[in-house]
């Protein structure tokens, strides 16, 4: 375990770019929004102040409307990524988008509210860290305000996304039906060249058809300055994602807790919570499946499948005990059926694909969310399984981006999937080792 810890620190140091951490060197050469949240917890393990620096550099990309973009392009000369800053053209279409650093035009799950809470709990005895948390607090609050102002036009308490990349679970089968609504005619999208398949196996990446749709939605956002009301009116792809909303709720809670201790007003966050928690419980629970699911706003239907995002409701403390028990039972059953926890998608569903991006593999930061969610409800042994499974996989197969969930298959492998030397894999390992 000492060796695993040493490797994890080495990876984080190797991915540090003087102020922020890239998810992995070649595939993702910039700063990613929710990655940075998880990564700052790992960075803090060695240098708590660098965790603050990491987050402050991310928030340098924050827009005037409060949005924290999903990518901050600290370098404008790096050309190995598509869509790069010039394709997003954020500052060209929205006066509130920074010109330096350049950014993308969409967001990602707002983890920073609970990240600040963890940092405060662990390093609150260090005055410089507390100062940093104080500087970040209003910015994080503003990023939540963005979601409630721009992504919840009917004041329901549930916020929408209009691009799969905003969910953090880019290629999940839960987007398939909604994406199929998008029909692309010649000339609808500009010509482009993918870069991801040059750095990772194409059978572990999204298909070309999906990529066209991603570009289509990007262009739709661009036409509306990435925050205009036209997005809600026009986008063929519009969903209340179960995980984005669970994370927002958990992050509100984090802000409320530390805000009280640091003397900030928390009224606004409390108002959000009062609307969001009941709405989430009422609208997103699926009694037959025994989990929470996303809501397709455009189709006015639930997206009925068991996928890992729904289980983040545990971390948000949303379900009552009966619901929580059903969710935990499902995870235990999976384990008994020969899976490591936790596959990103239901293995019983025909769309399950154990090696393809978000359609089955295990993701480290998802295990982190689940582990803490299970602990919150007192499911100690399943929480421990989630922790152990990930540590074992990384130990045997390396610090990859994602992993094979079928035990029998993974046992024959020598490496994980996707990118290697991955930052949030290292960070999750460090966090899990704290408990070991
Ligand atoms: C992929 C993941 C996303 C992550 C990014 C960088 O796009 O789907 O969640 O933020 O990679 O690691």
């Amino acid at each position: 375990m000492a060796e695993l810890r040493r490797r994890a620190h080495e990876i984080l140091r190797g991915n540090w770019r003087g102020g922020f951490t890239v998810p992995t060197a070649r595939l993702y050469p910039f700063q990613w929004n929710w990655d940075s949240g998880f990564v700052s917890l790992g960075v803090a393990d060695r240098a708590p102040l660098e965790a603050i620096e990491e987050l402050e550099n991310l928030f340098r990309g924050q827009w005037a409307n409060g949005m924290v973009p999903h990518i901050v392009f600290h370098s404008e000369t790096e050309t190995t990524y598509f869509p790069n800053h010039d394709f997003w053209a954020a500052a060209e279409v929205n006066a509130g988008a920074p010109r330096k650093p350049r950014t993308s035009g969409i967001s990602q799950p707002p983890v920073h509210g609970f990240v600040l809470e963890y940092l405060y709990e662990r390093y609150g005895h260090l005055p410089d860290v507390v100062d940093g948390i104080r500087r970040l607090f209003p910015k994080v609050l503003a990023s939540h305000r963005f979601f409630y102002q721009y992504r919840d036009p009917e004041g329901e308490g549930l916020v929408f996304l209009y691009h799969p990349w905003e969910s953090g679970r880019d290629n999940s089968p839960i987007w398939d039906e909604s994406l199929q609504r998008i029909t692309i005619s010649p000339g609808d999208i500009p010509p482009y060249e993918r870069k991801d398949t040059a750095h990772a196996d194409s059978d572990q990446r999204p298909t070309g058809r999906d990529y066209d749709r991603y570009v289509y939605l990007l262009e739709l956002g661009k036409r509306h300055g990435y925050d205009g009301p036209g997005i809600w009116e026009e986008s063929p792809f519009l969903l209340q994602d179960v995980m984005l909303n669970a994370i927002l709720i958990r992050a509100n809670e984090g802000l409320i807790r530390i805000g009280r201790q640091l003397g900030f007003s928390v009224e606004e966050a409390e108002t959000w919570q009062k609307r969001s928690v009941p709405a989430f419980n009422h609208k997103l629970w699926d009694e037959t499946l025994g989990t929470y699911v996303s809501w397709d706003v455009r189709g006015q239907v639930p997206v009925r499948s068991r996928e890992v995002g729904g289980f983040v409701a545990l971390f948000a403390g949303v379900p009552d005990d009966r619901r929580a028990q059903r969710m935990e039972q499902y995870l235990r059953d999976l384990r008994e059926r020969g899976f490591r926890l936790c596959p990103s998608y239901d293995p019983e569903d025909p769309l399950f694909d154990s090696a393809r991006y978000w359609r089955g593999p295990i993701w480290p930061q998802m295990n982190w969310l689940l582990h803490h969610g299970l602990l919150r409800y007192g499911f100690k042994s399943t929480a421990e399984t989630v922790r152990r499974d990930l540590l074992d996989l990384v130990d045997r197969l390396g610090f990859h981006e994602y992993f094979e969930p079928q035990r029998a298959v993974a046992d024959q492998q020598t490496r994980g999937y996707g990118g290697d030397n991955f930052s949030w894999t290292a960070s999750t390992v460090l966090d899990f080792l704290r408990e070991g």
Side-chain angles (χ1 to χ4, degrees), residues 164 167-181 206-207 210 213-214 237 239 241-242 293-294 296 302-309 343-361 363:
S167 72
R169 312 190 302 304
D170 305 16
N171 196 38
S172 171
I174 63 173
W175 316 123
D176 287 6
E177 265 188 59
S178 316
L179 282 173
Q180 270 158 27
R181 225 175 267 135
T207 63
D210 285 339
R213 288 166 168 151
Y214 298 155
F237 183 93
L239 292 106
D241 172 35
V242 66
V293 298
S294 298
D296 181 338
V303 185
R304 302 203 54 242
S305 52
R306 292 193 190 92
E307 61 89 25
V308 70
S344 43
Y345 195 69
D346 186 2
E348 265 177 21
D349 191 295
L351 295 174
F352 173 78
D353 180 338
S354 74
R356 197 182 280 271
Y357 206 50
W358 288 110
R359 304 177 84 86
W363 250 264

Side-chain angles (χ1 to χ4, degrees), residues 63-273:
W63 292 25
N65 63 15
M67 184 180 79
V68 182
H70 94 301
I71 305 174
V72 178
F73 298 101
H74 291 292
S75 152
E76 289 180 31
T77 49
E78 174 69 67
T79 54
T80 57
Y81 185 79
F82 174 83
N84 214 324
H85 67 88
D86 47 350
F87 199 88
W88 286 99
E92 282 72 19
V93 300
N94 189 308
R99 292 202 159 262
K100 211 168 176 54
R102 293 277 171 166
T103 75
S104 71
I106 56 174
S107 197
Q108 253 187 343
V111 296
H112 311 97
F114 64 76
V115 167
L116 286 189
E117 184 193 348
Y118 277 83
L119 290 175
Y120 186 64
E121 254 175 32
R122 294 173 185 181
Y123 309 103
H125 57 285
L126 303 173
D128 289 348
V129 172
V130 177
D131 284 350
I133 293 175
R134 281 185 188 283
R135 289 192 299 275
L136 283 158
F137 185 95
K139 299 181 183 180
V140 177
L141 192 72
S143 73
H144 290 203
R145 196 176 299 125
F146 161 79
F147 277 111
Y148 286 103
Q149 271 182 4
Y150 289 86
R151 299 302 186 81
D152 183 18
E154 296 181 345
E156 233 187 308
L158 296 172
V159 305
F160 76 82
L161 51 72
Y162 71 94
H163 199 298
W165 294 344
E166 294 199 294
S167 72
R169 312 190 302 304
D170 305 16
N171 196 38
S172 171
I174 63 173
W175 316 123
D176 287 6
E177 265 188 59
S178 316
L179 282 173
Q180 270 158 27
R181 225 175 267 135
I182 302 173
T183 46
I184 300 177
S185 319
D188 276 356
I189 52 172
Y192 70 92
E193 191 194 331
R194 282 174 79 163
K195 300 278 169 86
D196 59 322
T197 40
H199 310 296
D201 285 352
S202 57
D203 58 358
Q204 294 167 16
R205 298 290 307 174
T207 63
R209 258 184 92 158
D210 285 339
Y211 235 82
D212 281 354
R213 288 166 168 151
Y214 298 155
V215 172
Y216 178 95
L217 292 169
L218 187 163
E219 291 296 321
L220 184 140
K222 198 189 288 176
R223 268 205 314 282
H224 296 289
Y226 295 112
D227 66 2
I231 294 171
W232 167 261
E233 286 150 21
E234 274 177 36
S235 179
F237 183 93
L238 205 70
L239 292 106
Q240 287 162 332
D241 172 35
V242 66
M243 186 180 84
L244 179 74
N245 281 282
I247 284 183
L248 182 59
I249 288 173
R250 178 62 187 81
N252 281 334
E253 182 182 67
L255 288 183
I256 292 169
R257 285 196 191 133
I258 57 171
R260 282 201 188 114
Q261 298 184 54
L262 294 172
F264 286 104
S265 161
V266 295
E267 246 170 77
E268 194 181 9
E270 284 174 339
T271 315
W272 295 331
Q273 255 349 33

Side-chain angles (χ1 to χ4, degrees), residues 328-340:
E328 193 248 355
Q329 181 66 46
Y330 168 77
L331 295 175
R332 270 193 288 144
D333 289 349
L334 271 182
R335 189 101 208 298
E336 281 182 8
R337 283 164 38 215
F339 293 93
R340 279 184 201 262

Side-chain angles (χ1 to χ4, degrees), residues 320-389:
D320 60 20
D321 286 347
R322 186 189 69 88
R323 289 182 176 183
Q325 265 159 25
R326 284 198 63 191
M327 297 171 85
E328 193 248 355
Q329 181 66 46
Y330 168 77
L331 295 175
R332 270 193 288 144
D333 289 349
L334 271 182
R335 189 101 208 298
E336 281 182 8
R337 283 164 38 215
F339 293 93
R340 279 184 201 262
L341 298 181
C342 176
S344 43
Y345 195 69
D346 186 2
E348 265 177 21
D349 191 295
L351 295 174
F352 173 78
D353 180 338
S354 74
R356 197 182 280 271
Y357 206 50
W358 288 110
R359 304 177 84 86
I362 296 176
W363 250 264
Q365 85 289 3
M366 296 310 303
N367 274 34
W368 188 92
L369 293 167
L370 281 184
H371 173 74
H372 289 284
L374 289 161
L375 282 184
R376 181 171 185 155
Y377 282 83
F379 299 124
K380 287 210 184 108
S381 112
T382 310
E384 178 57 13
T385 303
V386 169
R387 187 181 83 96
R388 273 272 138 222
D389 278 355

